[in-house]
C-alpha cells in the first residue's frame, strides 16, 4: 500500500458524460500527478500540481481538467467523454516537485466509457 | 521529442535464473533521470530502480541492477535470482528537467516460470 488513495476504483459511464476522479496523496506529500494508461497510448503523464498550483502539463486534452485543493487532495474532471477515454487513470504523489522525490502511485481508477 | 523504446513486449524466465529487460531512449539532453517501474497484476506502479545520467556507476537495488550505457542511450534492467513475485509489467521511464514529466516506454511483460 503506497498511501495514495483513489476513488472510485471502477467507473462505467456513457459517451458524452462527465466524471470526476479523486485522489488523496500520502500524508505530507505536496505534489500530485495524474497519468492515463490505455492499451494504445501506453502510460502518459497528464498533469502535475504542487501545493495547489499547476506545475507541469503533459498530454492532457482540453476536455480534461484538474485541480488540487487546500487539503492537497486532487480531482481530475473528464467531460464530453468518448470511447477512447476508457483507460486506467493513476494518481501519484511525492514530497516535492523534483524528480528526485520518488513518486508513489495509487491503485488507479478504471474508467469504462460505453 | 524524447522517446523511450522497449523492444521486448514479453519476456519469460525460469525461477532463480537471471533475465535482462531492454530499454533505449532518445534525447539530446545531458542531464536526465531514468527509471524502471514494476506493475504487478494489482496494477499498482512501483519504483524498482533509478539512475541519474551524470552518475557513471550503475544503480543496484538488491536483485535488481541496471546497465546504463549513456553514449548508446541504453538502460537495461537485470533481475537476478528471479522470483515468482517478479512477474509483472516493467516500464522504463525517462525524465529531464526541461519538461518535468515522466515519459514511459510501452512496457515489457515478464513471466516467471516455476
Amino acid at each position: 500500500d503506497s498511501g495514495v488513495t483513489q476513488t472510485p476504483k471502477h467507473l462505467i459511464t456513457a459517451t458524452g458524460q462527465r466524471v470526476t476522479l479523486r485522489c488523496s496523496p500520502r500524508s505530507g506529500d505536496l505534489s500530485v500527478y495524474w497519468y492515463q494508461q490505455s492499451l494504445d497510448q501506453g502510460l502518459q503523464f497528464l498533469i502535475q500540481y504542487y501545493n495547489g498550483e499547476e506545475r507541469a502539463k503533459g498530454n492532457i486534452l482540453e476536455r480534461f481538467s484538474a485541480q488540487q485543493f487546500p487539503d492537497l487532495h486532487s480531482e481530475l474532471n473528464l467531460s464530453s467523454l468518448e470511447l477512447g477515454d476508457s483507460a486506467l487513470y493513476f494518481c501519484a504523489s511525492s514530497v516535492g516537485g523534483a524528480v528526485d522525490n520518488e513518486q508513489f502511485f495509487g491503485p488507479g481508477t478504471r474508467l469504462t466509457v460505453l | 521529442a524524447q522517446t523511450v523504446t522497449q523492444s521486448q513486449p514479453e519476456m519469460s524466465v525460469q525461477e532463480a535464473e537471471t533475465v535482462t529487460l531492454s530499454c533505449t531512449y532518445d534525447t539530446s539532453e545531458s542531464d536526465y533521470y531514468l527509471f524502471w517501474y514494476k506493475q504487478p497484476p494489482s496494477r499498482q506502479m512501483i519504483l524498482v530502480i533509478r539512475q541519474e545520467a551524470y552518475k557513471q556507476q550503475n544503480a543496484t537495488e538488491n536483485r535488481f541492477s541496471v546497465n546504463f550505457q549513456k553514449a548508446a542511450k541504453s538502460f537495461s534492467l537485470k533481475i537476478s535470482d528471479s522470483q515468482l513475485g517478479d512477474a509483472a509489467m516493467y516500464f522504463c521511464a525517462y525524465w529531464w528537467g526541461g519538461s518535468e514529466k515522466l515519459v514511459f516506454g510501452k512496457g515489457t511483460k515478464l513471466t516467471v516460470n516455476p
Side-chain angles (χ1 to χ4, degrees):
Chain A
D1 185 357
S2 67
V4 179
T5 60
Q6 290 187 248
T7 56
K9 287 186 178 181
H10 302 277
L11 198 50
I12 301 175
T13 187
T15 55
Q17 295 298 306
R18 172 189 168 95
V19 297
T20 297
L21 312 183
R22 182 187 170 99
C23 168
S24 293
R26 294 187 321 154
S27 176
D29 284 0
L30 298 179
S31 260
V32 170
Y33 309 77
W34 285 98
Y35 294 88
Q36 179 194 59
Q37 185 177 27
S38 62
L39 284 175
D40 54 345
Q41 297 292 327
L43 193 58
Q44 292 196 92
F45 166 74
L46 295 178
I47 197 164
Q48 177 200 359
Y49 279 83
Y50 176 76
N51 204 21
E53 299 290 327
E54 184 181 304
R55 177 75 175 259
K57 213 166 187 176
N59 302 321
I60 187 166
L61 300 173
E62 285 190 10
R63 299 183 287 108
F64 297 0
S65 65
Q67 55 183 327
Q68 186 179 27
F69 295 87
D71 66 353
L72 300 177
H73 91 271
S74 179
E75 293 181 355
L76 178 66
N77 300 296
L78 315 176
S79 61
S80 302
L81 285 168
E82 303 175 358
L83 296 177
D85 297 328
S86 295
L88 188 56
Y89 291 85
F90 284 106
C91 165
S93 74
S94 65
V95 170
V99 69
D100 55 352
N101 298 139
E102 181 178 345
Q103 293 185 29
F104 293 86
F105 283 74
T109 292
R110 169 74 68 187
L111 173 66
T112 302
V113 182
L114 301 175
Chain B
Q2 286 77 19
T3 58
V4 177
T5 302
Q6 293 178 249
S7 59
Q8 307 151 316
E10 296 188 27
M11 291 281 285
S12 63
V13 63
Q14 291 296 125
E15 197 175 1
E17 297 294 310
T18 296
V19 64
T20 298
L21 308 184
S22 300
C23 173
T24 58
Y25 57 95
D26 182 25
T27 184
S28 57
E29 303 299 322
S30 59
D31 188 18
Y32 50 87
Y33 291 75
L34 295 162
F35 305 83
W36 278 98
Y37 280 87
K38 170 185 177 180
Q39 187 178 39
S42 67
R43 306 180 312 185
Q44 193 104 19
M45 293 288 288
I46 303 165
L47 178 64
V48 175
I49 200 166
R50 75 175 189 187
Q51 175 82 39
E52 292 90 336
Y54 65 87
K55 289 186 177 179
Q56 293 186 340
Q57 186 173 7
N58 289 325
T60 298
E61 288 288 340
N62 301 314
R63 297 182 295 107
F64 298 86
S65 62
V66 298
N67 182 5
F68 174 47
Q69 301 288 328
K70 191 171 184 179
K73 298 180 184 176
S74 170
F75 182 62
S76 60
L77 174 70
K78 186 172 84 171
I79 306 174
S80 304
D81 186 26
S82 297
Q83 300 175 0
L84 295 178
D86 295 333
M89 283 290 290
Y90 286 82
F91 293 92
C92 178
Y94 162 96
W95 184 99
W96 70 286
S99 67
E100 295 199 26
K101 66 177 184 179
L102 277 173
V103 177
F104 288 88
K106 294 290 189 183
T108 296
K109 181 180 180 181
L110 178 66
T111 301
V112 180
N113 300 309

